């Protein structure tokens, strides 16, 4: 027997804590997760189908040496999937959440106990696990963890971030209506970080446009533009200008594209704005101004824009040169 280690097993199938155990040796550690395969979750009844559906969690002070192959009692066991700072178990959000939910449940059923554990872990680890899964394009797993995290976190920016990534995940899974709802929830959190809100608003505009709700798309892009986050303001401006132009609001579209062209943070978005301004002036009957903007776009860094602008340059006559006030 050796030093005890507190281990918890989380299920990627449902986002719940399905097992907890104090282990004192390699054999117990290795079987803690394996023994959960095929058994119903004590909260919802979902059964993990394989060890890959499960993840071990333990306080990091007890497994600092795991990465070097050294557990407190043996060198031969595998690694722990996620560690949590020891203080997070004793103090902070995890302990507070757990105490609040279990203080009135002493002696309650096992389901209630594991529901409390699950909610605490969802607030602590749900977003990191969900985000990791999203980056690996494991959208099913991401959906599970981001959903439980969104219900558990309390800080406004964390709530907005969970819903932003829920929207991205839903969009990848092809559920655009659910994606729009998630983006809308994130963008509407006025107490959250404006950068997170702006990204969500920009994604909301794209999603609403894909759903055919153009007024809602314009409103979303306008919010992203108003929030002014450097990572989204230029893209939102290009897209909003396009929707305004398609809606017959050419003067407004022109002003928006002029703003992007003047203040764009990257040459890519300046090229997009130049192309669209060329289109605006071509439609307005001023081929000279159109030619100049198209020429700028054709020399930019975006291949698609270069191709489109070059096509227009082949159609438009070049501006006439002037010498001493006379046309030549």
């Amino acid at each position: 027997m050796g030093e005890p280690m507190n281990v918890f097993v989380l299920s990627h199938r449902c986002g719940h804590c399905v097992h907890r155990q104090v282990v004192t040796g390699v054999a117990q550690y290795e079987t803690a997760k394996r023994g959960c395969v095929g058994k119903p979750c004590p909260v919802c009844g979902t059964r993990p189908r394989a060890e890959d559906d499960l993840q071990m969690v333990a306080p990091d002070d007890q497994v600092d040496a795991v990465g070097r192959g050294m557990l407190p009692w043996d060198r031969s066991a595998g690694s722990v999937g996620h560690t949590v700072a020891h203080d997070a178990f004793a103090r902070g959000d995890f302990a507070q959440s757990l105490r609040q939910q279990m203080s009135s449940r002493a002696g309650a059923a096992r389901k209630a106990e594991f529901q409390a554990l699950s909610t605490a872990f969802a607030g602590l680890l749900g977003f990191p696990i969900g985000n990791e899964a999203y980056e690996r394009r494991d959208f099913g797993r991401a959906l599970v963890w981001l959903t439980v995290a969104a219900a558990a976190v309390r800080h406004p920016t964390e709530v907005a971030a969970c819903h932003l990534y829920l929207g991205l995940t839903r969009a990848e899974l092809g559920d655009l209506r659910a994606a729009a709802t998630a983006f809308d929830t994130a963008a509407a959190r006025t107490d959250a970080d404006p950068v997170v809100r702006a990204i969500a608003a920009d994604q909301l505009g794209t999603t609403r446009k894909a759903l055919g709700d153009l007024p809602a798309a314009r409103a979303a892009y306008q919010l992203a533009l108003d929030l002014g986050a450097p990572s989204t303001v230029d893209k939102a401006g290009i897209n909003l200008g396009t929707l305004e132009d398609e809606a017959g609001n050419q003067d407004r579209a022109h002003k928006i594209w002029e703003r992007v062209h003047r203040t764009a943070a990257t040459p890519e978005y300046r090229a997009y704005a130049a192309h669209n301004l060329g289109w605006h002036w071509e439609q307005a009957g001023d081929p000279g101004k159109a030619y100049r903007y198209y020429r700028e776009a054709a020399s930019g860094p975006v291949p698609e824009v270069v191709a489109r602008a070059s096509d227009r340059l082949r159609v438009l006559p070049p501006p006439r040169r002037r010498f001493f006030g006379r046309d030549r």
Side-chain angles (χ1 to χ4, degrees):
M1 303 294 287
E3 298 179 19
M5 175 191 284
N6 296 291
V7 297
F8 301 82
V9 182
L10 309 183
S11 172
H12 295 306
R13 296 266 292 157
C14 59
H16 295 139
C17 178
V18 298
H19 182 66
R20 66 178 179 85
Q21 185 176 339
V22 177
V23 299
T24 57
V26 175
Q28 290 182 350
Y29 172 80
E30 291 182 341
T31 59
K33 181 167 72 168
R34 190 181 308 135
C36 296
V37 175
K39 293 184 178 179
C41 167
V43 178
C44 68
T46 301
R47 296 176 185 268
R49 295 174 294 191
E51 286 191 54
D52 187 56
D53 290 334
L54 299 163
Q55 184 157 329
M56 301 283 283
V57 179
D60 62 2
D61 67 321
Q62 295 185 336
V63 291
D64 281 340
V66 167
R68 303 189 298 274
M70 296 183 297
L71 286 170
W73 8 256
D74 195 278
R75 297 169 182 255
S76 61
S79 64
V80 173
H82 267 269
T83 63
V84 179
H86 175 77
D87 287 352
F89 281 88
R91 298 187 294 275
D93 292 343
F94 180 90
Q96 181 180 2
S97 175
L98 195 55
R99 283 195 298 269
Q100 288 176 347
Q101 295 180 65
M102 294 190 71
S103 60
S104 63
R105 296 179 179 179
R110 184 167 179 263
K111 178 178 179 178
E113 175 188 354
F114 277 89
Q115 179 65 71
L117 283 167
S118 297
T119 300
F121 274 118
L124 195 65
L125 292 175
F127 182 79
I129 296 175
N131 185 52
E132 287 175 11
Y134 176 83
E135 295 298 333
R136 293 196 312 270
R137 301 188 64 79
D138 186 348
F139 301 122
R141 181 172 294 186
L143 183 63
V144 168
W145 285 106
L146 293 169
T147 298
V148 298
V153 296
R154 293 292 176 264
H155 189 280
T157 297
E158 292 177 353
V159 174
C162 285
H163 283 283
L164 168 60
Y165 273 85
L166 266 175
L168 293 170
T169 301
R170 291 287 193 185
E172 290 286 356
L173 292 171
D175 190 347
L176 294 185
R177 294 194 181 280
T181 298
F183 291 139
D184 193 27
T185 300
R189 288 298 303 236
T190 57
D191 49 355
D193 188 314
V195 173
V196 176
R197 293 184 63 212
I199 295 171
D202 180 65
Q203 291 292 333
L204 178 61
T206 301
T207 307
R208 290 296 188 195
K209 181 180 179 181
L211 289 169
D213 190 348
L214 300 186
R218 290 204 300 274
Y221 284 135
Q222 183 66 61
L223 175 59
L225 195 65
D226 293 342
L227 288 167
S231 60
T232 58
V233 65
D234 293 337
K235 177 173 177 282
I238 294 295
N239 288 329
L240 178 59
T242 300
L243 289 181
E244 293 289 1
D245 184 73
E246 291 173 352
N249 304 322
Q250 279 74 34
D251 287 344
R252 175 157 169 70
H254 172 238
K255 291 178 181 178
I256 294 170
W257 289 331
E258 281 280 14
R259 170 182 165 178
V260 176
H261 186 257
R262 184 175 62 254
T263 64
T266 67
E268 287 79 9
Y269 281 112
R270 182 178 174 86
Y272 279 115
H275 174 274
N276 290 2
L277 286 168
W279 167 260
H280 169 79
W281 287 114
E282 183 180 356
Q283 300 307 304
D286 192 331
K289 286 185 178 179
Y291 191 94
R292 285 192 289 272
Y293 280 116
Y294 281 139
R295 186 168 56 188
E296 178 186 343
S299 64
V302 185
E304 177 188 7
V305 173
V306 170
R308 291 182 180 180
S310 298
D311 285 344
R312 300 312 305 158
L313 288 172
R314 283 190 285 270
V315 174
L316 290 175
R320 292 180 297 176
R321 299 172 64 188
R322 292 176 178 272
F323 295 90
F324 304 108
R326 296 181 301 156
D327 290 345
R328 291 287 300 269

